[in-house]
């Protein structure tokens, strides 16, 4: 029987251990998609407590707390103390066994704070006090936590109207870890609510200095903001979409639809789909012209609990996997760009594992024979960023494409304690390859190449792919 989370955690063979300890573990981290608060990095923020850094904004934990019967006041309540919230999490942790939260919780305690104890009710106060004592020191500031985990680059997620002042300050401070913005223009195509959309256009107009009184000016304003993002080091875009929009449309139709929006009129579903199709294609062409990589996170069914959405807003733990058949629209979208020679480097993340083989085969249709791994099957995302989801994604990619060209893992997190997810991924990767070697399905004589392949997936592929 192995001890829980020892140095060989998840590594089930000697070969897997060699791949991890001699290759994967030494590689720096490129976290090319996250939701860190750039202000915290710019300010080198000092966290007030383990509750703030660990439970604040973490909807994974919030979902588990609710499932365990914990009252909302101990989850998102503003009047509840940090200790009370932490105590409820400690009560919940034992009930998360076999959920990845159990592993992540203890991996984060171990790697960040050097705590090997299991978190449960009778250790809660001791762990709470020890973590808070350490967080009070400069070693646990936002920047020093990034240094602790050997991070080289982080790419945040930013709206076109963002000032990027915190990215600029961080760079001017001489902070050695690159914090780069990522262009996330979702609100520029969110036309379901006409009132909110026009409010957004007003903000975009103000920050770009362009009066958005017709569709051409909308695109001009966005291009001006994209130029600004590039001047601050942006190399990637990201799009959070429910599905790929690829309806047929004409320029005249889009201009008419946009004028209808400006007049404050609601759109039909057909008009919404046409407008989103146009914007998604225009954004993709803009990315190509800039030489950026575009990312598409698609498929979640968001804000299912309308009562809690009205109370707490979005991103609070009430989203789930969608069940959308997107193969035809994705194919049409990529083919439309490829036919015009405007298809940028692309990463596609699905939230439902039933699409794994579809994505893995779809990306093969649009590789260009020039850029290794130009079209990527993104790592296991959201509900799939655990051992089972990672293995299924890597197996599908291996069977239908080239795992060796994979750009690897990211945190997709708001937390400065999420970097162990890279370790968790690396251990899973090494165990997967190690198992094949042990079973004679890959040649042990090629261990040098396989070791380099692991290093590439963990770091080098991303560094080269994104030109960091």
């Amino acid at each position: 029987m192995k001890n829980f989370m020892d140095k060989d955690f998840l590594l089930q063979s000697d070969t897997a251990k060699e791949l991890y300890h001699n290759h994967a573990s030494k590689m720096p981290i490129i976290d090319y998609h996250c939701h860190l608060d750039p202000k915290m990095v710019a300010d080198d923020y000092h966290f007030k407590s383990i509750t703030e850094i660990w439970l604040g904004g973490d909807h994974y934990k919030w979902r588990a707390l609710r499932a365990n019967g914990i009252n909302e006041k101990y989850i998102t309540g503003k009047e509840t103390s940090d200790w009370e919230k932490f105590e409820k999490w400690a009560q919940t942790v034992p009930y998360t066994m076999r959920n990845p939260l159990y592993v992540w919780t203890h991996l984060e305690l171990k790697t960040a704070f050097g705590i090997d104890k299991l978190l449960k009710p009778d250790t809660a106060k001791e762990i709470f006090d020890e973590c808070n004592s350490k967080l009070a020191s400069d070693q646990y500031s936002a920047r020093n936590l990034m240094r602790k985990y050997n991070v080289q680059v982080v790419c945040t997620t930013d709206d076109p109207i963002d000032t990027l002042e915190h990215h600029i300050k961080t760079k001017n401070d001489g902070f050695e870890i690159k914090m780069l913005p990522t262009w996330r223009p979702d609100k520029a195509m969110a036309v379901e609510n006409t009132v909110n959309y026009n409010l957004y256009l007003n903000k975009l107009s103000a920050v770009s200095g362009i009066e958005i009184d017709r569709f051409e000016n909308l695109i001009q304003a966005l291009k001006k903001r994209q130029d600004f993002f590039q001047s601050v080091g942006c190399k990637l875009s990201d799009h959070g979409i429910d599905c790929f929009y690829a309806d047929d449309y004409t320029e005249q139709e889009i201009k008419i639809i946009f004028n209808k929006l400006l007049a404050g009129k609601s759109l039909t579903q057909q008009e919404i789909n046409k407008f989103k199709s146009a914007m998604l294609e225009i954004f993709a062409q803009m990315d190509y012209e800039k030489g950026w990589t575009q990312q598409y996170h698609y498929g979640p069914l968001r804000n299912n609990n309308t009562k809690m959405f009205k109370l707490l807003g979005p991103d609070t733990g009430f989203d789930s996997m969608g069940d959308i058949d997107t193969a035809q629209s994705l194919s049409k979208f990529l083919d439309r760009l490829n036919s015009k020679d405007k298809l940028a480097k692309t990463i596609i993340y699905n939230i439902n594992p039933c699409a794994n083989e579809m994505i893995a085969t779809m990306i093969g249709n649009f590789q260009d024979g020039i850029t290794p791994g130009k079209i990527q099957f993104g790592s296991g995302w959201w509900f799939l960023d655990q051992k089972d989801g990672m293995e299924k994604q890597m197996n599908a990619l291996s069977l239908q494409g080239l795992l060796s060209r994979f750009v690897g893992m990211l945190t997709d997190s708001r937390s400065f304690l999420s970097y162990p997810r890279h370790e968790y991924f690396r251990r899973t990767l090494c165990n997967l390859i190690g198992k094949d070697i042990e079973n004679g399905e890959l040649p042990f004589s090629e261990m040098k190449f396989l070791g380099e392949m692991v290093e590439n997936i963990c770091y080098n592929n991303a560094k080269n792919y994104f030109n960091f």
Side-chain angles (χ1 to χ4, degrees), residues 384-418:
L384 306 179
D385 63 353
Q386 26 65 18
K387 184 174 180 286
D388 180 67
M390 292 174 183
E391 288 179 340
K392 286 178 178 176
Q393 183 268 345
M394 287 190 280
N395 281 329
L397 176 57
S398 299
L399 291 170
Q400 307 297 340
L402 299 180
L403 179 66
S404 55
R405 293 299 187 181
F406 180 33
V407 293
M409 188 55 179
L410 47 93
T411 63
D412 190 31
S413 173
R414 293 165 175 80
S415 174
F416 287 83
L417 293 184
S418 290

Side-chain angles (χ1 to χ4, degrees), residues 172-446:
N172 290 342
D173 283 350
F175 185 42
E176 70 277 12
I177 297 172
K178 291 182 180 179
M179 180 174 71
L180 305 177
T182 297
W183 172 263
R184 177 80 173 244
D186 295 356
K187 291 181 180 179
M189 55 183 272
V191 293
E192 292 86 351
N193 186 310
T194 303
V195 173
N196 288 345
Y197 188 70
N198 276 287
L199 290 173
Y200 180 77
L201 291 183
N202 291 339
K203 294 176 182 177
L204 178 60
S205 178
V207 75
S208 66
I210 296 173
E211 183 181 1
I212 303 176
D213 56 357
R214 60 183 189 272
F215 184 70
E216 293 89 342
N217 285 4
L218 168 63
I219 304 306
Q220 185 182 353
L222 288 166
K223 287 183 175 180
K224 186 172 181 180
R225 295 304 296 168
Q226 196 185 42
D227 289 341
F228 171 64
F229 267 59
Q230 186 168 50
S231 75
V232 183
C234 183
K235 295 177 179 287
L236 297 92
S237 72
D238 182 56
H239 306 265
I241 51 179
D242 52 354
C243 63
F244 283 89
Y245 293 89
D247 287 25
D248 294 325
Y249 63 87
T250 65
E251 289 186 25
Q252 187 60 29
E253 283 179 315
I254 301 307
K255 290 177 181 178
I256 292 171
I257 292 170
F258 189 70
N259 289 338
K260 187 175 176 180
L261 285 166
L262 290 180
K265 298 178 182 178
S266 297
L267 303 183
T268 66
Q269 189 59 54
Q270 184 183 44
E271 289 171 330
I272 290 171
N273 292 347
K274 283 180 178 288
F275 191 84
K276 286 177 176 278
S277 298
M279 293 303 294
L280 213 57
E281 182 177 358
I282 290 167
F283 286 140
Q285 292 186 17
M286 288 167 60
D287 290 339
Y288 178 84
E289 297 298 338
K290 282 282 186 284
W292 288 1
T293 297
Q294 55 192 6
Q295 302 173 91
Y296 297 94
H297 289 83
Y298 89 91
L301 191 61
R302 296 183 183 273
N303 307 316
N304 295 271
N305 188 327
T306 54
K307 176 183 175 181
M308 296 306 290
F309 175 69
K310 291 175 182 176
L311 184 67
L312 300 175
D315 303 320
T316 50
F318 299 97
D319 307 317
S320 61
M321 292 181 187
D323 186 17
I324 301 169
D325 182 3
T326 197
Q328 288 183 324
S329 58
L330 172 58
S331 173
K332 187 175 179 180
F333 173 70
L334 294 174
D335 189 54
R336 195 179 259 173
L337 294 167
N338 191 62
S339 297
K340 297 176 182 178
D341 292 324
K342 297 286 187 181
L343 181 58
K345 287 185 285 189
T346 303
I347 307 177
I348 302 168
Y349 308 84
N350 59 294
I351 200 169
N352 193 323
C354 73
N356 280 355
E357 281 71 22
M358 184 275 286
I359 298 295
T361 55
M362 185 66 72
I363 66 172
N365 297 328
F366 298 99
Q367 306 291 4
D368 65 359
I370 300 170
T371 305
K374 177 182 177 179
I375 314 299
Q376 289 274 329
F377 180 8
S379 61
W381 168 49
W382 202 338
F383 297 110
L384 306 179
D385 63 353
Q386 26 65 18
K387 184 174 180 286
D388 180 67
M390 292 174 183
E391 288 179 340
K392 286 178 178 176
Q393 183 268 345
M394 287 190 280
N395 281 329
L397 176 57
S398 299
L399 291 170
Q400 307 297 340
L402 299 180
L403 179 66
S404 55
R405 293 299 187 181
F406 180 33
V407 293
M409 188 55 179
L410 47 93
T411 63
D412 190 31
S413 173
R414 293 165 175 80
S415 174
F416 287 83
L417 293 184
S418 290
Y419 295 114
R421 292 186 190 179
H422 284 265
E423 177 180 336
Y424 184 79
F425 166 81
R426 292 173 180 188
R427 288 175 178 271
T428 301
L429 167 68
C430 292
N431 190 61
L432 201 66
I433 295 174
K435 180 181 177 181
D436 285 349
I437 297 170
E438 294 280 338
N439 289 341
E441 297 177 54
L442 289 174
F444 181 78
S445 61
E446 294 299 307

